Structures are given as structure tokens and as C-alpha cells.
Amino acid sequence: MQTQRAITVQTLTDYEQLSAAATRFVTRQLEANPRSLLCLATGSTPTRAYQMLAMQAAHFPALFSELRAIKLDEWEILDDPGSCEAYLQKQVIGPLGITPDRYTGFVTDASPNAECRRISQWLAQNGPIDLCILGLGINGHLGLNEPAPALSPYAHRVLLSESTRGHSMLNGSAQKPRYGLTLGMAEILQSRQILLLVSGPHKKDQLRKLSQGEVSTSFPASLLWLHPHVTILCDRAAAEP
Ligand code: GLP
């Protein structure tokens, strides 16, 4: 384990080991506080960890019976198999048996701005997030906080960059969304703990850039340096020079 000032970096041999480590991180959090509020990223990186958590939940349902969850972000598309909602229902909400009273997230059939206000209010009343699980965007985004001259503190609607619109989650979608909805940077940074998962050679440059410790809104993940309890779990493919 290597400690770089505020950010702890742990490099695992491969994606499977990274996912096992992430699973342990989440279960330790639930052992310490069964009612933890987890913020859930989507994308390919956390998928295996979510599957491992589902296996744990099958054996130890009590550990998962009180946790609460909030969706990190959502594409502005309606009823699409590539939506973050479809992903979370399949990978997490269903398998972990999270009941509707313990889960919230952006819905896309409402007015986007009203929906962002609703989510921010929900978080103000029910937060802060105890453990925020994040992935690293190919352009350095966190959630859908895209690189920009200024970032928004609260949940907001965001114009997506071309690289984000090309995300593999949307490969089967008839229409690529132009906008997304995301928790804002303050809501993310107010989490008690943050877990960033980084896997694969295509994230090498981004991880190196993040490790430099320069904070800039042109690389939103770098704002994690402002948080006192960030752990990065990466695999060798992402970490090796
Ligand atoms: C998308 C998701 C994010 C995710 C990111 C990284 O933008 N909306 O929540 O963190 O992609 O995805 P991946 O893990 O597939 O690289």
C-alpha cells in the first residue's frame, strides 16, 4: 500500500483482485454502519465488484438489509437498456434486495432541473454519503462532471463531451444522449469516504495525471485531492508505466 498525502493508492494484480478489494471495502463499511448511504457509479469498472457483493448478499442478506443507495449520475435518455438505472437495477438494486424506500436516483421522465433540485434536497436531508464509489472517466470526469472552466457544486444537467457520448454503456442505444444528470462536486466531496476504481491500460494516462496532484477543473478527478479520505484501487494494467 502506498500513501500519497491525502489519497491512498492500492495497486492490485488484476481486475478480479481489484474487484475483490472493492467488495471488502464496501462490506467493511456496512459492518461498521449497516445503514450506510452508498453512492453508486455505473460503467464497466465497478461491475465485477457489484457481482461479488451480490454473491455476498445471497449468503449474508442481513448485512445488506439496511443500506441506502443513491445513483451517481444518469444519461438523459428515456427507458433505455443503456441507462444507469437499468444497470443499477440489474447489478445492484435487485441482487442486494434494496427496497424502494432505501434507494433514490435521477429519473429522466421528469423536468431535468426539477429533478436535480429534488436529488440535491434529498441528499441535504438524508446525507451525507458515507461511501461514494466512483469510476474515472476517460476525460477525467467524475460522475458526469465534465472538464470545464468551472464545476457545479450541486446536482445539475450537463452537456456531455463527445468522448462521454461514446461510452460503451450506450453502444446499444438507438440515440446518444446530449445531456446527462449528475451529482455535483460538492455533493461528491462531502462524502465521508470516497473509493475510486481504476482498471485497464486505457486508464493509464488518466491515473498518471491524477497522481501528479495538480488540482484543476479541466480534470475533475483531480479535485479528489481536496478530500481527506480517498482510496484509489487500481490494477497493474492501469498503474504500470
Ligand atoms: C460513465 C458513468 C460514470 C462512470 C464512468 C466511467 O460516465 N456515467 O458513472 O464512472 O463512465 O466508466 P467506466 O468504468 O466504464 O470506464
Side-chain angles (χ1 to χ4, degrees), residues 36-236:
S36 292
L37 175 59
L38 307 183
C39 176
L40 303 172
T42 57
S44 53
T45 315
T47 304
R48 183 70 184 131
Y50 291 154
Q51 287 168 355
M52 289 179 178
L53 284 169
M55 287 188 271
Q56 297 251 335
H59 291 292
F60 311 106
L63 183 60
F64 299 85
S65 62
E66 292 176 59
L67 77 84
R68 299 165 302 139
I70 183 165
K71 178 167 59 172
L72 173 65
D73 54 9
E74 185 58 279
W75 313 112
E76 202 175 279
I77 39 176
L78 285 174
D79 282 339
D80 190 280
S83 72
C84 300
E85 187 63 30
Y87 171 104
L88 286 181
Q89 289 295 339
K90 179 172 171 221
Q91 302 290 350
V92 186
I93 309 303
L96 301 192
I98 304 175
T99 48
D101 56 312
R102 292 187 285 128
Y103 170 65
T104 196
F106 300 103
V107 297
T108 45
D109 54 1
S111 140
N113 291 334
E115 188 56 10
C116 290
R117 279 196 300 278
R118 180 184 76 79
I119 289 293
S120 282
Q121 273 164 16
W122 187 93
L123 204 45
Q125 282 161 7
N126 298 279
I129 294 162
D130 293 295
L131 175 59
C132 187
I133 302 168
L134 298 174
L136 179 57
I138 211 82
N139 60 358
H141 71 213
L142 286 183
L144 289 172
N145 291 279
E146 298 278 43
L151 299 177
S152 300
Y154 302 113
H156 59 285
R157 182 179 193 234
V158 61
L159 181 64
L160 301 174
S161 70
E162 276 310 305
S163 69
T164 301
R165 295 181 81 212
H167 193 279
S168 59
M169 284 178 80
L170 299 168
N171 284 351
S173 303
Q175 280 196 329
K176 304 278 184 214
R178 290 195 68 219
Y179 292 91
L181 305 176
T182 184
L183 294 191
M185 284 310 304
E187 291 161 332
I188 291 173
L189 292 173
Q190 281 160 13
S191 305
R192 291 199 163 98
Q193 290 220 62
I194 295 180
L195 182 62
L196 177 70
L197 306 179
V198 189
S199 171
H202 61 301
K203 296 286 176 75
K204 207 180 272 193
D205 291 346
Q206 293 81 345
L207 186 58
R208 196 178 322 119
K209 193 164 179 183
L210 174 56
S211 304
Q212 286 165 358
E214 252 179 41
V215 178
S216 165
T217 60
S218 65
F219 193 73
S222 67
L223 271 77
L224 292 178
W225 284 101
L226 305 177
H227 191 281
H229 301 293
V230 176
T231 300
I232 299 178
L233 297 178
C234 58
D235 57 16
R236 277 197 199 144

